[in-house]
Every structure is written in structure tokens, then in C-alpha cells.
Amino acid sequence: MKQIIFNNNKNIVSEKIKEYRKKLKITQGDLAARMQTLGVNIDQQAISRIEKNLRQVTDYELACFCRCLDVTPNELLINFNKYFD
């Protein structure tokens, strides 16, 4: 996959994924397992890299994160404007 960086970020949902995961009181491993039940090939280390903004998030992963965390895409993308400051 071609690496795309926007304002030194690999994704813009890292903070919100971590926030909502912690609200649900689940581990990165738990989240990875939930994602795997939806057919996403992802492990705990990949979740960690996403939360540290070291890995991109694909559109289908975003959709599955929303389902696993019981949030809307807008809730994960809410910080979007801060990346333009």
C-alpha cells in the first residue's frame, strides 16, 4: 500500500478510536478480535499502530471500527478540523 501522510499524520481517527475503545473498557486485543469477526485481518499490534498514528486506516476498516465501537463515522472523524490548523 502506498504510504500517504497528511500533515505528518497517517490517519485522523487514532485519538477517537482509542477514546471510544477505552469507554467500552476493552483492550486492543479485544477490539482486534471484534474486527476479525467482521472479516478484517487485523491484530493487536495493528490496533496499537493505528492508535499511535503510525498506520493508515482503510475505508472498510473505518466502517468496521464504527460497528465494533458502536459509533458513527462522524464521531470518529470529529477532530478533522484540527488537522488544518
Side-chain angles (χ1 to χ4, degrees):
M1 177 188 310
K2 181 180 177 185
Q3 292 296 312
I4 300 172
I5 298 175
F6 179 74
N7 288 347
N8 294 319
N9 295 284
K10 292 200 176 179
N11 72 69
I12 60 172
V13 295
S14 58
E15 294 173 20
K16 288 297 181 175
I17 287 174
K18 185 174 184 176
E19 175 185 329
Y20 287 114
R21 177 181 63 76
K22 288 189 172 204
K23 274 186 184 179
L24 291 175
K25 298 180 180 167
I26 61 173
T27 66
Q28 292 173 342
D30 294 334
L31 181 54
R34 289 181 182 199
M35 295 284 283
Q36 290 167 11
T37 65
L38 296 175
V40 179
N41 184 17
I42 197 166
D43 59 15
Q44 178 275 323
Q45 291 87 3
I47 301 290
S48 176
R49 290 181 51 78
I50 289 168
E51 289 184 356
K52 291 177 182 173
N53 205 338
L54 299 174
R55 181 185 176 281
Q56 293 174 322
V57 176
T58 65
D59 54 356
Y60 69 87
E61 288 172 336
L62 178 68
C64 292
F65 276 125
C66 290
R67 185 170 231 181
C68 291
L69 297 170
D70 196 26
V71 296
T72 66
N74 283 346
E75 289 173 297
L76 289 185
L77 296 168
I78 196 115
N79 287 335
F80 182 70
N81 285 333
K82 87 175 196 174
Y83 294 92
F84 290 102
D85 294 339

